[in-house]
Amino acid sequence: MDITPQQTLVAANAGYMSGFGNGFETEALPGALPVGRNSPQRCAYGLYAEQLSGSPFTAPRASNARSWLYRIRPTVAHIGRFAPRDAGLWRSAPCAEESGLPIQPLRWDPLPIPEAGETFLTGMRTITTCGDISGQTGMAASIALVTRSMVDETFWNSDAEMLVIPQQGALRFRTEFGVIDAAPGEVAVMPRGAKFRVELIHDEPARAYVCENYGGAFTLPERGPIGANCLANQRDFLSPVAAYEDVERPQLVVVKWGGQLWQAEIGHSPLDVVAWHGNYAPYKYDLSRFSPVGPLLFDHADPSIFTVMTAPSETPGTANIDFVLFPERWMVAENTFRPPWYHMNLMSEFMGLILGQYDAKPQGFVPGGFSLHNCMLPHGPDAEAFEKASTIELAPHKLANTMAFMLETRLPQRVTAYAAGVAQRQPDYEACWSGLLKKFDPTRR
């Protein structure tokens, strides 16, 4: 059967190249990539050359991020007359809404997946924001509730890099660089400015945590005295091989810019990159490949040892965002209170649970739920976790079937009006510490 341009879809399934921040090259048609140059007078197959830069042109080589894309039409032909689009419950910093909540630790049950058809865009529910998108600092934490695929619709985020953490159901990201599939236990990162469409796999509804990073792009943390191995290894990060759509039918392009959604109608698919090379591209990571390190004799290490990726700020050692993972691991420290200790700290913590049970909160914190412990507000194990950890016989113990994460930022996170008023917010969360009784006895050591 002859295939018309309106039907053409090349290399629709996911395929990957490994390495974090590598200089990749990939082509869906042989010879589509020019050799020895980026912008020849005439590109093969009648393609257009276009550069996508994720850093200033003059950024140092180690932090310079860009890719060259060889596409059927340049992006200037993938836009039309933009009109504002209702952002729904999606919010950006600085968020003008005031939740009216008093300062306190907060926790929510999972947001239910709605029956009505919601795409990745319309199903976005922002929980917290901090910083300022115009100042390229801070972040937003949202929940995406997805019940239908985006069809003939493409999106790019000009405000932020997007870290997507599926918790229920798998998502397919059809990007201009290729196809990425991400299931619970994996994460996907869409660079700022990269075009993509989100589809459901097997039409199963999905729920995902979403972090918009307004600042410098995520990178891998320095290991310091740990040395060359463990934590997240470069080889386990996967970027897609080239795949393109040659589709000539009406499409909707949606862009997030300045905290506002904008849309335009065009007559063809913008996911038309036949070949690309460079180090600025979407990627995925299997969280089960994170190799944790920890104390082997006594005491408790800071949670920073669980950092998977970090988005730096202008202050060395102070992250705009740390993406921290609490996976399966062995607990072996002697004469040590093993759960996270009681603390107040400068960073603010948005936490989610992908699966299982979190050791510091055995009750009330369930998969799909999330919590906020803001900067310089106290938090720590609930009364049940404290009592158990203080009295249990300290044999080696494996925390199994668990996966929690934390988005930690230097900035205070503001709760949106939606998150403050939603029925899933636990109004009595602070009661989990009410059972912490006075045990002080000056006559007994």
Side-chain angles (χ1 to χ4, degrees):
M1 181 180 68
D2 293 335
I3 297 177
T4 68
Q6 287 77 15
Q7 297 170 315
T8 300
L9 183 66
V10 175
N13 295 321
Y16 304 104
M17 304 171 287
S18 69
F20 187 90
N22 280 9
F24 296 110
E25 61 175 33
T26 173
E27 55 188 18
L29 294 177
L33 277 176
V35 177
R37 65 194 64 215
N38 296 319
S39 186
Q41 184 180 21
R42 286 187 298 275
C43 294
Y45 300 103
L47 299 172
Y48 291 85
E50 177 177 280
Q51 181 174 260
L52 177 61
S53 296
S55 64
F57 297 132
T58 55
R61 180 182 290 263
S63 58
N64 204 302
R66 67 92 175 95
S67 285
W68 279 90
L69 314 177
Y70 301 90
R71 56 194 322 149
I72 297 172
R73 292 180 177 90
T75 297
V76 290
H78 293 317
I79 60 175
R81 186 175 294 276
F82 281 105
R85 168 172 165 150
D86 183 8
L89 294 169
W90 201 342
R91 297 291 181 268
S92 299
C95 188
E97 293 183 349
E98 294 292 338
S99 69
L101 291 177
I103 58 169
Q104 61 190 28
L106 297 167
R107 189 168 67 187
W108 289 259
D109 294 324
L111 300 182
I113 297 176
E115 294 183 4
E118 299 281 5
T119 68
F120 181 79
L121 301 184
T122 64
M124 197 72 68
R125 309 284 189 263
T126 302
I127 307 302
T128 70
T129 66
C130 65
D132 187 339
I133 51 174
S134 298
Q136 297 189 348
T137 183
M139 57 163 280
S142 301
I143 306 295
L145 305 172
V146 187
T147 58
R148 64 182 177 94
S149 298
M150 295 168 64
V151 177
D152 292 334
E153 186 177 51
T154 305
F155 172 73
W156 81 79
N157 193 330
S158 295
D159 290 337
E161 175 184 45
M162 299 184 76
L163 167 65
V164 182
I165 309 165
Q167 186 274 320
Q168 177 181 324
L171 297 171
R172 172 163 290 165
F173 298 84
R174 293 197 185 274
T175 83
E176 58 187 334
F177 292 82
V179 181
I180 289 178
D181 290 344
E186 299 177 310
V187 298
V189 175
M190 299 293 115
R192 184 183 306 208
K195 304 174 187 67
F196 64 94
R197 180 171 69 241
V198 181
E199 301 170 351
L200 296 173
I201 297 179
H202 308 306
D203 289 325
E204 295 179 356
R207 178 170 50 218
Y209 303 96
V210 179
C211 172
E212 285 184 274
N213 171 22
Y214 305 142
F218 280 111
T219 187
L220 300 185
E222 299 297 339
R223 291 189 176 100
I226 296 173
N229 303 294
C230 293
L231 306 184
N233 293 304
Q234 291 97 319
R235 63 178 292 201
D236 295 321
F237 289 81
L238 304 177
S239 288
V241 297
Y244 69 92
E245 293 181 357
D246 183 8
V247 173
E248 300 286 325
R249 63 172 177 263
Q251 307 271 313
L252 197 63
V253 175
V254 184
V255 180
K256 185 171 182 287
W257 194 96
Q260 169 71 55
L261 292 187
W262 302 85
Q263 65 181 28
E265 293 184 5
I266 61 173
H268 42 266
S269 172
L271 305 181
D272 65 351
V273 176
V274 178
W276 64 271
H277 78 85
N279 64 347
Y280 190 67
Y283 57 89
K284 65 180 282 187
Y285 176 67
D286 183 345
L287 297 173
S288 69
R289 298 193 178 190
F290 183 78
S291 177
V293 297
L296 300 178
L297 189 59
F298 61 87
D299 266 353
H300 200 298
D302 288 324
S304 49
I305 60 169
F306 297 109
T307 301
V308 181
M309 296 186 294
T310 184
S313 74
E314 70 281 358
T315 304
T318 304
N320 185 58
I321 309 169
D322 281 332
F323 173 53
V324 181
L325 181 70
F326 302 105
E328 291 189 337
R329 59 199 184 275
W330 280 92
M331 311 291 278
V332 300
E334 301 173 350
N335 191 24
T336 295
F337 183 79
R338 291 178 176 176
W341 58 81
Y342 298 102
H343 61 291
M344 296 168 58
N345 60 303
L346 191 62
M347 307 291 275
S348 59
E349 304 169 1
F350 180 94
M351 197 161 186
L353 186 60
I354 299 170
L355 63 90
Q357 185 183 81
Y358 181 55
D359 60 325
K361 299 287 192 304
Q363 303 296 329
F365 189 38
V366 298
F370 45 95
S371 64
L372 174 64
H373 300 117
N374 244 320
C375 57
M376 288 304 173
L377 294 178
H379 50 288
D382 61 24
E384 179 184 348
F386 176 83
E387 202 61 36
K388 180 178 179 181
S390 300
T391 57
I392 195 171
E393 181 180 350
L394 291 181
H397 170 67
K398 184 177 182 180
L399 291 177
N401 300 315
T402 182
M403 185 175 287
F405 73 89
M406 183 166 66
L407 299 170
E408 187 177 69
T409 174
R410 60 179 175 159
L411 301 170
Q413 299 187 48
R414 305 292 184 181
V415 178
T416 64
Y418 164 78
V422 74
Q424 285 70 39
R425 183 173 69 84
Q426 300 176 8
D428 57 349
Y429 171 44
E430 68 277 4
C432 73
W433 295 292
S434 62
L436 293 171
L437 305 176
K438 179 179 178 180
K439 297 176 179 290
F440 176 66
D441 183 349
T443 67
R444 178 175 58 85
R445 292 185 62 183

